[in-house]
Amino acid sequence: MKERLEALRTEALQELERVDSPQRLSDLRVKYLGKKGALTEILRGMGALSAEERPVIGQVANDVRAAIEQVIEAKQAAFQQAETENRLRAETIDVTLPGKRPPSGAVHPLNKVAQEIEDIFIGLGYTIAEGPEVETDFYNFEALNLPKDHPARDMQDSFYITDEILMRTHTSPVQIRTMRAMDGKTPVKVICPGKVYRRDDDDATHSFQFNQIEGLVVGPNIRMSDLKGTLLQFVQLMFGRQAQIRLRPSFFPFTEPSAEVDVTCVQCGGHGCRMCKHTGWLEILGCGMVHPRVLEYGGYDPEKVSGFAFGMGVERIALLKYGIDDIRHFYTNDLRFLGQFVRMS
Ligand code: DAH
């Protein structure tokens, strides 16, 4: 019996030596050590042994089992390690490869300029007010002292929805809405950004829809010099410390006196070039002292308070700031154009 056990050991170890797959290994385990395996088969004959032989053979059988098990375990560990290595190799990623960058969006240049203007005025203590784009004749015209025969009230110039309702033609109606909401309190110090609509044919400098920013300050003793100082401060923060302004007398129904404001040409610094038509100046906004009748419509006594107002086109400021020659670039969403503003501050 001892010889049979030794022979089994030799055979098993030889066969295990040649094993080449985990499946085969598991088959051999069954074959030699399983319940119906070769070892069990031999041990079944133990009953016929004498009492002296039994422990000796038992010892040999244990040794044989241990030897076979040891080899099986070692093989199993080797297979497992090989599998792990294979998997690691297959799943290797090269962290030095450059990643795929998704194209990133950016703030539209018009919004960027609008935000910049807003930030400047917020820094000067203004708050932001908003109003509806669909406006009544009263707020858009009447309360702003725009007489019935004013050309802006012509069907040809404004988008009317009914006789009394239209797309606002400017952000000035927010002046009236703001004053009324303040209920006679001062100071009023707001800017009102927003879209406005006009029946213009689109071209390099006109669009049926564009953006304006309105400013309004109302309080005791607000003077024209406050307006001028505010605008100079704004222009220098927007276009640089060297920028200067000049005010030209003008007319708006809602301000008296009214002025148009020019800034020194951003291209030539005032020497004269094609951009400023050799005048050295560029027109950037309209302004004035709030008309007494407009203050009254807003619920204020023009004997007690005064105010100034101004209105500017965001597109125009952006055209000047970036030296763009056609307003339509802002609306056509050509990424070659928009991409130029991605990293610009
Ligand atoms: N509302 C005027 C426009 O659309 C701009 C403007 C001019 C606004 C003078 C004002 C102002 O507040 O005082 O052309």
Side-chain angles (χ1 to χ4, degrees):
M1 195 153 176
K2 191 173 171 203
E3 289 76 47
R4 280 178 67 201
L5 284 169
E6 294 296 355
L8 180 73
R9 183 208 315 247
T10 312
E11 183 197 330
L13 294 187
Q14 271 173 4
E15 222 174 341
L16 281 169
E17 188 60 38
R18 292 194 302 271
V19 81
D20 59 358
S21 75
Q23 181 56 45
R24 178 94 184 108
L25 184 65
S26 146
D27 291 347
L28 291 182
R29 182 200 291 275
V30 174
K31 176 175 174 189
Y32 291 107
L33 305 179
K35 270 195 204 130
K36 292 177 188 158
L39 187 61
T40 319
E41 181 65 33
I42 296 172
L43 295 181
R44 248 189 224 124
M46 290 270 277
L49 295 177
S50 68
E52 296 84 54
E53 274 177 316
R54 211 172 287 154
V56 179
I57 294 301
Q59 184 60 49
V60 175
N62 280 343
D63 288 352
V64 170
R65 172 182 291 277
I68 295 173
E69 257 169 8
Q70 199 187 345
V71 174
I72 287 176
E73 256 157 47
K75 286 273 171 193
Q76 199 160 22
F79 279 133
Q80 236 153 36
Q81 191 178 345
E83 193 198 313
T84 309
E85 273 166 17
N86 275 341
R87 211 180 40 232
L88 285 178
R89 211 172 303 123
E91 291 174 1
T92 302
I93 43 169
D94 182 353
V95 293
T96 64
L97 274 177
K100 287 185 192 145
R101 271 177 203 275
S104 64
V107 178
H108 190 282
L110 278 183
N111 289 336
K112 196 172 264 184
V113 168
Q115 275 168 12
E116 220 174 304
I117 298 170
E118 287 168 23
D119 284 349
I120 290 172
F121 282 101
I122 286 168
L124 296 175
Y126 287 64
T127 55
I128 301 212
E130 284 184 299
E133 290 173 29
V134 178
E135 192 49 285
T136 61
D137 178 274
F138 176 78
Y139 283 110
N140 196 77
F141 294 133
E142 190 84 36
L144 286 165
N145 196 33
L146 265 116
K148 285 278 183 219
D149 56 358
H150 194 281
R153 298 183 78 149
D154 196 312
M155 297 293 284
Q156 301 305 314
D157 292 309
S158 308
F159 290 112
Y160 276 88
I161 292 164
T162 69
D163 279 354
E164 287 300 317
I165 298 173
L166 74 160
M167 303 305 290
R168 67 179 175 195
T169 58
H170 51 181
T171 42
S172 304
V174 189
Q175 287 190 26
I176 307 293
R177 288 181 174 277
T178 304
M179 283 191 275
R180 291 192 161 197
M182 287 293 281
D183 211 15
K185 288 192 285 292
T186 55
V188 178
K189 208 171 166 190
V190 291
I191 51 163
C192 327
K195 292 192 183 72
V196 302
Y197 301 82
R198 293 191 192 167
R199 281 183 70 164
D200 273 327
D201 288 329
D202 290 2
D203 63 24
T205 53
H206 296 83
S207 166
F208 70 94
Q209 181 207 58
F210 59 101
N211 296 271
Q212 283 191 333
I213 295 184
E214 190 83 12
L216 174 69
V217 172
V218 177
N221 288 322
I222 300 293
R223 293 166 304 186
M224 189 103 181
S225 52
D226 297 318
L227 170 62
K228 201 174 169 191
T230 302
L231 293 176
L232 180 62
Q233 181 73 5
F234 161 68
V235 158
Q236 293 191 338
L237 289 170
M238 195 69 197
F239 296 105
R241 276 283 150 212
Q242 74 295 340
Q244 291 298 322
I245 55 168
R246 72 173 183 189
L247 271 64
R248 282 179 290 108
S250 184
F251 173 78
F252 298 103
F254 30 88
T255 43
E256 181 58 37
S258 303
E260 254 156 339
V261 177
D262 297 340
V263 61
T264 38
C265 180
V266 292
Q267 191 98 11
C268 64
H271 300 298
C273 68
R274 265 182 58 195
M275 187 168 184
C276 58
K277 300 202 181 78
H278 302 282
T279 63
W281 297 96
L282 299 164
E283 185 192 323
I284 54 160
L285 56 83
C287 66
M289 299 306 291
V290 181
H291 195 288
R293 210 168 294 155
V294 174
L295 286 172
E296 276 170 1
Y297 272 116
Y300 290 89
D301 181 350
E303 297 294 325
K304 298 205 176 104
V305 299
S306 50
F308 66 72
F310 55 87
M312 66 184 99
V314 178
E315 278 79 351
R316 177 146 180 87
I317 304 278
L319 289 177
L320 299 180
K321 187 168 165 92
Y322 294 120
I324 298 162
D325 58 0
D326 193 324
I327 197 175
R328 288 168 293 194
H329 286 309
F330 291 128
Y331 311 123
T332 42
N333 290 331
D334 185 334
L335 291 178
R336 290 170 301 179
F337 171 76
L338 296 176
Q340 298 175 57
F341 300 90
V342 170
R343 259 175 239 94
M344 232 181 226
S345 68

